[in-house]
Amino acid sequence: MHLIYLNIEKLLPGGIKMKLSEIDHNLAVQSTLDIKGLKYRNALQEPFAIYGLYRAGESGQYMRLPAEAAEKVSPGVLSLSTHTAGGRVRFRTDSDYVAVKVRLRDAHWMPHMPLTGSHGLDLYVYDGMQDLYQGSFIPPVEHPESYESVVRFPDARMREITIHMPLYSGIAELFIGVDENAQLEPGRKYRDIKPVLYYGSSITQGGCASRPGNHYPAAIAREINADFLCLGFSGNARGEKEMTEYLAGIDASVFVCDYDHNMPDSKTLEETHSKVYSTYRAAHPKTPVIFVSRPDIRLYEQEDILRRDVVYQTYRNALKDGDRNVYFIDGYQLFAGNRRDDCTLDGTHPNDLGFFRMAEVIGEMVRRCLAGNS
Amino acid sequence: MHLIYLNIEKLLPGGIKMKLSEIDHNLAVQSTLDIKGLKYRNALQEPFAIYGLYRAGESGQYMRLPAEAAEKVSPGVLSLSTHTAGGRVRFRTDSDYVAVKVRLRDAHWMPHMPLTGSHGLDLYVYDGMQDLYQGSFIPPVEHPESYESVVRFPDARMREITIHMPLYSGIAELFIGVDENAQLEPGRKYRDIKPVLYYGSSITQGGCASRPGNHYPAAIAREINADFLCLGFSGNARGEKEMTEYLAGIDASVFVCDYDHNMPDSKTLEETHSKVYSTYRAAHPKTPVIFVSRPDIRLYEQEDILRRDVVYQTYRNALKDGDRNVYFIDGYQLFAGNRRDDCTLDGTHPNDLGFFRMAEVIGEMVRRCLAGNS
């Protein structure tokens, strides 16, 4: 796709909410942290590499899909396209701390998701085998839309860093700070395959993980060392024709179609679900597609069972048509294990226990797909 | 203990923050919920039974320990004594919904804990084998200090209900609403043993569970069908002489001494830790005591290892003195398993994955103690 990078601010309902300042890279970014020698750099510049967003370095905007594509889908998707769910920054440094200075597009409170998940960032360090959680950049309750925070390490050796961006908020500006004398280099790359693509609703966007690194696609990415693109749209995954076509334009290693919740009923789900698949399949004849039904299925509700049947039917029809690269995960199994009902905090949205189990189940299937196709 | 029930409002710093209204039980409690036939009753009245609080029915106050005892310990403990961590209401009804109308003592935002955990309540239903999560009473972000909310059931058969109270907030008034024509009766009792006693810091108080039912003592209580008393005091578990004596006054089936974090260093921990044990043991020669060190131990920090040694030493000394009812859990093992570093959201406080694992490990030990002693 060849796109001009429209300024998302001009497209959002209500016009420009927050002026995106022109960043003068020659000016030092001010810090209120009391750290001598702290030097900030814009995360959009090298040696930082951004993952999970749409060409952030080129467009200068933190978007999950281009504004002109999102605008065609729905106002909801346009607005949520700025949320940085799945967005990451990677680099390596021998600084004994990493600071961030972030300005978000807005601050909004949710009763069932802490700011650490919705507006916070967290940091992982590669230990030679896997990326391990090291600390969180926690938004202050007084002004979660704009803050500085630091994660410190016990010493100053070279580390491979991954920072996850907020799940339910958009980034206007992000600066990453290390000691002015520290080395700062391009970070570790994921293995050389296309990203794993996730499409779905609020759960797929990360509601309600306690922090971004515990969202299930992020956890799977760490387990399999593969990049991903998280197209979860809270309340707005409706399999629109325009979204279906946009998805079909994405070259992925695996397509996890975790799309169910946001259609009003099983009938409207049926009208769109198979088209999401067939459109994607037409563009990508061999890419594995994993269909996932919703985890919060009520087994006593006929309508919930019908919805699962819709998802299953897309899978069965594909198999019948000779497609050998389709897979099905019964959402009810996502929370399997002791205390399965404790996997959500409101009957729908997974907490970190629920997301852990989703990562285990879906991750196993993604790994299986990659083993056969990468 | 014979105590006059002092009004906590008179003791709190800053005086009376919020007037506790006189409740006229003859007046119907107003509801803004659009539910025909909804009738509220005060949770302090029969047939409701309150667990995990200090004689709430008699005192008319939702307190974890009496104000005059809390006042002697510290201003922090006095303030936190109003937080209802571990508080529960039990009853049975054949209403096809349960509503709550709650007025909290105050509203405060934490960046790393959602309102569903700090200010919310959740509801469990006994299925004949165990209590299962059914839904949450979610505080609205606009006014989390005072709200109504309803959890609905698929039908109107008799159900055994347990409602958990907020972990990081105090209840001024709580009304429980069911259909005016529904049966409402005393709920199921726990098995006939003394409560399990937990003493500790913010983690023990429930920071940062996504909702009260996922806090580890609540989860253990469900697994073993035993009542409990949660004396976790965020930032204020310092093993003070007065707290030590108060703990010794509690007749428990098991004493889980999960107290480590809030002492400034290993030396001050050492000065108090063994006294918490010896004072308790003098009053209760046979009650099993489980010592737990902190889960967020940094294995490279000498000071963290010294702290664990203090906890271990209390245990070793007790054994040496012939005490056969002491147990030790290395906190590092509490998060054991895949992705152990993902068990907290800030390096210290467990998320629901961390609390799940704590409940598994500590619960196994509590069950073992009860099997040998109940």
Side-chain angles (χ1 to χ4, degrees), chain A residues 109 111 115-116 124 133 136 139 154 210-211 214 219 222 338-339 341-342 344-346 351-352 356-357 360, chain B residues 109 111 115-116 124 133 136 139 210-211 214 219 222 300 338-339 341-342 344-346 351-352 356-357 360:
Chain A
W109 300 87
L115 288 174
T116 41
Y124 282 68
Y133 171 66
S136 291
S210 73
R211 53 181 177 77
N214 273 356
R222 290 194 297 274
N338 188 21
R339 294 177 54 196
D341 295 289
D342 285 337
T344 80
L345 47 70
D346 58 1
N351 49 38
D352 285 23
F356 175 85
R357 292 186 179 175
E360 296 273 306
Chain B
W109 300 87
L115 287 175
T116 42
Y124 282 68
Y133 171 66
S136 292
S210 74
R211 53 181 177 78
N214 273 355
R222 291 194 297 275
Y300 54 82
N338 188 21
R339 294 177 54 196
D341 296 289
D342 285 338
T344 81
L345 47 69
D346 58 2
N351 49 38
D352 285 23
F356 176 85
R357 293 186 179 175
E360 296 273 306

Side-chain angles (χ1 to χ4, degrees), chain B residues 32-320:
Chain B
T32 56
L33 295 174
D34 186 22
I35 302 176
K36 196 166 179 299
L38 165 63
K39 183 182 175 186
Y40 278 116
R41 291 175 179 84
N42 193 316
L44 294 175
Q45 292 181 291
E46 292 181 348
F48 302 113
I50 306 279
Y51 293 89
L53 298 179
Y54 187 80
R55 300 183 185 179
E58 295 168 45
S59 71
Q61 299 183 122
Y62 294 85
M63 303 277 297
R64 288 187 288 161
L65 63 169
E68 46 277 63
E71 189 190 21
K72 285 181 197 156
V73 180
S74 71
V77 166
L78 177 61
S79 177
L80 294 170
S81 66
T82 65
H83 286 196
T84 48
R88 282 146 289 146
V89 189
R90 287 188 144 193
F91 57 98
R92 43 188 267 140
T93 184
D94 62 355
S95 175
D96 63 351
Y97 65 84
V98 170
V100 302
K101 179 170 183 168
V102 63
R103 189 162 62 79
L104 301 174
R105 291 181 171 276
D106 58 9
H108 51 270
W109 300 87
M110 290 189 285
H112 51 2
M113 190 165 179
L115 287 175
T116 42
S118 59
H119 294 62
L121 301 92
D122 59 15
L123 182 148
Y124 282 68
V125 175
Y126 186 64
D127 75 346
M129 288 285 284
Q130 55 184 144
D131 290 301
L132 296 178
Y133 171 66
Q134 189 75 28
S136 292
F137 303 103
I138 301 181
V141 289
E142 300 78 15
H143 48 85
E145 72 287 354
S146 181
Y147 61 94
E148 283 185 88
S149 181
V150 63
V151 169
R152 295 177 189 278
F153 309 128
D155 51 31
R157 59 185 170 75
M158 187 61 86
R159 287 180 171 82
E160 296 281 355
I161 309 288
T162 303
I163 293 176
H164 298 94
M165 301 182 194
L167 295 167
Y168 263 76
S169 182
I171 290 179
E173 289 179 335
L174 174 63
F175 299 93
I176 294 174
V178 297
D179 185 83
E180 60 189 349
N181 296 318
Q183 296 181 70
L184 184 68
E185 299 171 0
R188 198 166 65 98
K189 288 183 163 53
Y190 291 100
R191 63 165 144 163
D192 190 23
I193 56 172
K194 302 286 178 189
V196 179
L197 169 64
Y198 298 87
Y199 174 59
S201 60
S202 55
I203 297 178
T204 318
Q205 188 177 334
C208 294
S210 74
R211 53 181 177 78
N214 273 355
H215 185 27
Y216 86 85
I220 291 174
R222 291 194 297 275
E223 296 276 332
I224 64 176
N225 184 29
D227 189 17
F228 70 100
L229 181 58
C230 174
L231 295 183
F233 300 102
S234 193
N236 283 275
R238 303 213 176 99
E240 301 89 345
K241 181 169 173 290
E242 295 77 10
M243 177 54 77
T244 299
E245 287 166 1
Y246 182 76
L247 291 169
I250 298 171
D251 201 8
S253 57
V254 179
F255 174 26
V256 178
C257 186
D258 177 16
Y259 144 61
D260 175 346
H261 278 90
N262 299 148
M263 301 310 289
D265 50 41
S266 59
K267 191 165 154 34
T268 48
L269 180 63
E270 191 169 16
E271 287 164 7
T272 55
H273 194 271
S274 65
K275 285 182 195 155
V276 171
Y277 157 73
S278 59
T279 309
Y280 194 84
R281 179 52 80 227
H284 306 280
K286 292 289 185 192
T287 304
V289 178
I290 302 173
F291 301 105
V292 187
S293 63
R294 60 197 289 175
D296 56 329
I297 183 172
R298 294 162 297 179
L299 296 178
Y300 54 82
E301 282 288 355
Q302 169 73 355
E303 177 63 16
D304 284 18
I305 304 301
L306 285 175
R307 294 180 82 105
R308 182 171 64 182
D309 285 347
V310 169
V311 178
Y312 189 67
Q313 202 53 47
T314 302
Y315 161 74
R316 288 290 292 131
N317 288 342
L319 274 182
K320 202 167 59 182

Side-chain angles (χ1 to χ4, degrees), chain A residues 14-53:
Chain A
I16 299 173
K17 283 185 187 168
M18 191 177 277
K19 196 173 181 310
L20 280 174
S21 65
E22 288 297 315
I23 299 157
D24 184 340
H25 301 308
N26 295 319
L27 284 177
V29 178
Q30 296 300 312
S31 172
T32 56
L33 295 174
D34 186 21
I35 302 176
K36 195 164 181 298
L38 165 63
K39 184 183 175 186
Y40 278 116
R41 292 174 178 84
N42 193 317
L44 294 175
Q45 291 181 291
E46 292 181 346
F48 301 114
I50 306 279
Y51 293 88
L53 298 179

Side-chain angles (χ1 to χ4, degrees), chain A residues 323-341:
Chain A
D323 190 337
R324 301 292 297 269
N325 284 305
V326 286
Y327 303 84
F328 173 76
I329 295 174
D330 174 5
Y332 186 77
Q333 299 306 325
L334 291 173
F335 295 156
N338 188 21
R339 294 177 54 196
R340 63 158 286 129
D341 295 289

Side-chain angles (χ1 to χ4, degrees), chain A residues 26-171:
Chain A
N26 295 319
L27 284 177
V29 178
Q30 296 300 312
S31 172
T32 56
L33 295 174
D34 186 21
I35 302 176
K36 195 164 181 298
L38 165 63
K39 184 183 175 186
Y40 278 116
R41 292 174 178 84
N42 193 317
L44 294 175
Q45 291 181 291
E46 292 181 346
F48 301 114
I50 306 279
Y51 293 88
L53 298 179
Y54 187 79
R55 300 184 186 179
E58 296 168 45
S59 71
Q61 298 182 124
Y62 294 84
M63 303 276 298
R64 287 187 289 161
L65 63 170
E68 46 275 63
E71 189 190 21
K72 285 181 196 155
V73 180
S74 71
V77 166
L78 177 61
S79 177
L80 294 170
S81 66
T82 65
H83 286 196
T84 48
R88 282 145 290 148
V89 189
R90 287 188 144 192
F91 58 97
R92 42 188 267 140
T93 183
D94 62 356
S95 175
D96 63 351
Y97 65 84
V98 171
V100 303
K101 179 170 184 168
V102 63
R103 189 162 62 79
L104 301 174
R105 291 181 171 277
D106 58 9
H108 51 271
W109 300 87
M110 290 190 286
H112 51 3
M113 191 165 178
L115 288 174
T116 41
S118 59
H119 294 62
L121 302 92
D122 59 16
L123 182 148
Y124 282 68
V125 175
Y126 186 64
D127 75 346
M129 288 285 284
Q130 55 185 143
D131 290 302
L132 296 178
Y133 171 66
Q134 189 75 29
S136 291
F137 303 103
I138 301 181
V141 289
E142 300 78 14
H143 48 85
E145 73 287 353
S146 181
Y147 60 94
E148 283 185 89
S149 181
V150 63
V151 169
R152 295 177 189 278
F153 309 127
D155 51 31
R157 60 186 169 76
M158 186 62 86
R159 287 180 170 82
E160 296 281 355
I161 309 288
T162 302
I163 293 176
H164 298 93
M165 300 182 194
L167 295 167
Y168 264 76
S169 183
I171 290 179

